Amino acid sequence: MRECVAAGVPRLEVDVRFLGDDAMVVFHDSNLGSATTADGRIDEAVRADVLKARYRDNPQFGVCFLEDVVAALAGGPTLLQVDLKLMRPIGERRARQLEDALAPMAGHVIVGSQAHWNLRALRGLPVALDPTL
C-alpha cells in the first residue's frame, strides 16, 4: 500500500473484513493462518491479536487496518476501491461504522461486494455492483 501511495496510483483496491471486535482489516482470506503467524477465523479475532500477527512471507509487515489505509490516502487523488468481504448481512452498526471510517475519502471511494444485500445498507457511500456475480 505504501508503494502505491508513493507512486500516486489512480486507484487502490483493498479487501476489507470485520474482526470479532468490529475493527476493520485489509485482508483477503477468512482465516488468518493462510498468510500470517496468527491462526483462526478473522471474524473471531480481535485487534490485539491481529496487531501481533506478521506476514509469514515478509515478517517485517503486519496486517493493515482500514483506518491506516484511509489515513494514507485521504486528501490525495487516489480512488480507494473497497471490496467488502462480508457475506452475511452487515447490520446497521457495522454499516455506519464503515461509512464513518471511509468518510475522509469522500469523493474518492467506492465500495463493492459480492453480497449485494450489504451494498444496499450503505447509504452514505457510492457502491458498485457486478451483475454477473
Side-chain angles (χ1 to χ4, degrees), residues 26-98:
V26 175
F27 201 77
H28 176 78
D29 297 330
S30 60
N31 190 303
L32 286 162
S34 65
T36 75
T37 56
D39 197 22
R41 292 172 39 132
I42 201 155
D43 61 353
E44 294 175 353
V46 296
R47 180 183 289 269
D49 297 332
V50 174
L51 282 170
K52 297 177 205 168
R54 311 310 293 169
Y55 280 100
R56 282 195 302 270
D57 291 346
N58 195 340
Q60 81 180 57
F61 295 108
V63 176
C64 189
F65 288 83
L66 180 60
E67 66 259 23
D68 300 328
V69 174
V70 170
L73 295 177
T78 301
L79 175 71
L80 178 59
Q81 180 176 335
V82 173
D83 183 4
L84 183 60
K85 292 294 187 184
L86 183 64
M87 294 304 289
R88 64 178 187 249
I90 191 169
E92 183 72 19
R93 186 183 82 248
R94 282 185 168 179
R96 301 299 76 80
Q97 181 182 350
L98 181 61

Side-chain angles (χ1 to χ4, degrees), residues 92-115:
E92 183 72 19
R93 186 183 82 248
R94 282 185 168 179
R96 301 299 76 80
Q97 181 182 350
L98 181 61
E99 289 173 347
D100 291 346
L102 294 173
M105 295 297 303
H108 287 86
V109 66
I110 189 166
V111 179
S113 177
Q114 292 182 358

